[in-house]
Amino acid sequence: MTTVATKGRAHAPAAHELDPEERMSRDELEALQLRRLQETVRRAYENVPLYTEKFDAAGVHPDDIRSLDDLALLPFTTKDDLRRSYPFGMFAVPREQIMRIHASSGTTGLPTVVGYTAGDLDNWAGLVARSLRASGVRPGHIVHNAYGYGLFTGGLGAHAGIERLGATVIPMSGGNTIKQVQLIRDFAPDAIMATPTYLLTIIDALRDSGIDPASTSLKVGVLGAEPWTNEMRATIEESLGIDALDIYGLSEVMGPGVGNECIESKDGPHIWEDHFRPEIIDSETGAALPDGTAGELVFTTLTKVGLPIIRYRTHDISTLLPGTARPSMRRIKKITGRNDDMIILRGVNLFPSQIEEIALTIPGLSPHFTLELSTVGRMDCMTVHIEPLPGLAEADAATAAKTLIRDVKARIGSTVEVDLAAPGSLERSGGKLKRVYDNR
Ligand code: DLL
């Protein structure tokens, strides 16, 4: 695409630009992990009553952690544990040492509260800076930050990392899409940080203002906070003429920057294993699974002081893979969904991302869709409401809808209905998009 050539491409950092930990051998890294794990487990046990109780009940003591494999002796931590400790019960330091608090939206029940010491904030900024560097963002670049500022970790977490890298931050936050377009046009940012679905909203708004999205100054998107597929990546990269990189994280473990893709490989986020020890477990039995097997991601923080977290169950489904661009740090397979987002339709398990994957390869269909579940008689039904591309002839849209029904049946095994929604009629994302409406 000519626009890419005129903007210049983002490029991978040179070896000397990497953090020393990114260049460690696996053995060096694991020795560091073990030392940090032992410190973390002790800190948690000695300072957080919830951990004291849980370890005692499980009959384990910090002295039992002699190797990284001994991690499996420790009990899991869940979102419920955090809720039970609401608001500040998980802090491992006196509250006065907590410099910042974030919290989940808490749409179901109490919000989960997390806290950071000055040192934790420093590490976090460093890891977001590392993530941006891995994405091809450079000191001196302008970064448009469209993650929401506030209790959500996205906005402020990204913000500190952009500054730490030595780039210029535009603290735009989420929403006010018209303003987003104006600032992208006038400030000429090199990179944008947003959820993938909110970036789609911005792409549409650029078009609505008569701007070809591929003609903007943007070279890189650092996108995350919700599941998105490689097909969505292709759609976004093509529309904007950018490289789109995957940033992963969750507030309980830190926020954005627990892991990030590297631009030279774009093969799923590398987990920054000097600060987090990942595991994959069987969600049903809790058994640790070997690398290369799909299951639920679990994290133990290795450096957090304010809120150390031991074996946190994320509910995210992924697989641990060997490192590539950072050979000593493992990757996770791009996250396709959460085990609590899985739809069971007449006995078949499916994730919204599978519909995204299929729909985006069918010519004429847009990335804008929602899934509605209902009961007709005693049968569960799923309707895919999807917008065809604007201007598509009715007959071609009908053909695309039929292809979607056929491909979903062939690849997932479910029969679904497709409703072609008028272009622009489905609700647009303002951050994390709600895809599923369950009316059963
Ligand atoms: O979403 C942190 C974040 C902000 C990550 C900005 C990346 C960018 P929470 O609100 O606690 O934190 O939500 C965490 O979001 O367990 C995943 O289910 C999902 N998630 C986050 N990043 C990705 C990603 C932030 N890259 C939850 N791919 C996680 C897929 C993601 N899902």
Side-chain angles (χ1 to χ4, degrees), residues 38-104:
Q38 288 167 331
E39 284 165 12
T40 300
V41 168
R42 192 168 304 280
R43 192 180 303 120
Y45 182 76
E46 287 173 359
N47 296 292
V48 184
L50 178 112
Y51 285 123
T52 322
E53 280 159 34
K54 288 184 86 149
F55 286 21
D56 288 351
V60 283
H61 187 269
D63 292 341
D64 298 332
I65 305 301
R66 294 187 197 94
S67 74
L68 287 170
D69 288 341
D70 292 335
L71 185 55
L73 302 171
L74 299 173
F76 294 113
T77 306
T78 64
K79 206 176 188 76
D80 264 352
D81 289 326
L82 271 79
R83 291 219 172 98
R84 261 206 303 278
S85 316
Y86 180 84
F88 298 157
M90 293 296 288
F91 295 170
V93 295
R95 204 269 315 137
E96 292 76 1
Q97 290 176 34
I98 295 290
M99 296 294 112
R100 201 198 293 164
I101 286 182
H102 282 285
S104 75

Side-chain angles (χ1 to χ4, degrees), residues 139-340:
H141 275 169
I142 299 178
V143 185
H144 180 104
N145 183 14
Y147 287 121
Y149 282 63
L151 289 173
F152 174 51
T153 51
L156 286 162
H159 183 102
I162 298 165
E163 290 186 341
R164 175 62 56 88
L165 181 69
T168 305
V169 58
I170 311 297
M172 177 60 215
S173 192
N176 201 348
T177 308
I178 301 292
K179 183 70 144 251
Q180 307 262 0
V181 167
Q182 185 196 345
L183 298 193
I184 291 170
R185 190 193 58 204
D186 297 346
F187 293 178
D190 301 277
I192 186 162
M193 300 187 75
T195 64
T197 58
Y198 187 55
L199 190 51
L200 291 178
T201 306
I202 295 178
I203 291 171
D204 279 359
L206 283 163
R207 289 203 183 100
D208 290 346
S209 351
I211 300 171
D212 171 7
S215 73
T216 73
S217 55
L218 291 169
K219 297 193 265 283
V220 186
V222 186
L223 317 177
E226 60 183 0
W228 56 304
T229 59
N230 280 320
E231 287 70 18
M232 178 73 92
R233 187 207 308 269
T235 301
I236 289 173
E237 289 190 332
E238 222 168 276
S239 316
L240 284 167
I242 63 170
D243 285 296
L245 283 297
D246 194 359
I247 184 165
Y248 174 75
L250 62 166
S251 47
E252 293 85 350
V253 173
M254 182 177 76
V258 170
N260 202 93
E261 270 182 332
C262 297
I263 189 168
E264 57 270 53
S265 51
K266 282 194 194 165
D267 51 2
H270 275 84
I271 297 301
W272 304 131
E273 283 206 69
D274 45 336
H275 293 267
F276 312 100
R277 174 81 183 177
E279 297 172 88
I280 292 283
I281 63 157
D282 179 321
S283 311
E284 302 291 318
T285 65
L289 297 175
D291 287 7
T293 316
E296 181 179 339
L297 254 177
V298 166
F299 283 100
T300 300
T301 61
L302 300 175
T303 51
K304 270 176 54 196
V305 171
L307 196 149
I309 199 137
I310 311 289
R311 303 194 86 200
Y312 184 72
R313 292 190 60 160
T314 64
H315 292 283
D316 292 327
I317 306 293
S318 188
T319 304
L320 278 170
L321 301 168
T324 50
R326 302 291 180 277
S328 62
M329 306 221 190
R330 285 173 290 175
R331 284 171 299 137
I332 51 171
K333 197 167 163 209
K334 208 163 174 4
I335 289 174
T336 41
R338 297 174 51 81
N339 56 20
D340 39 18

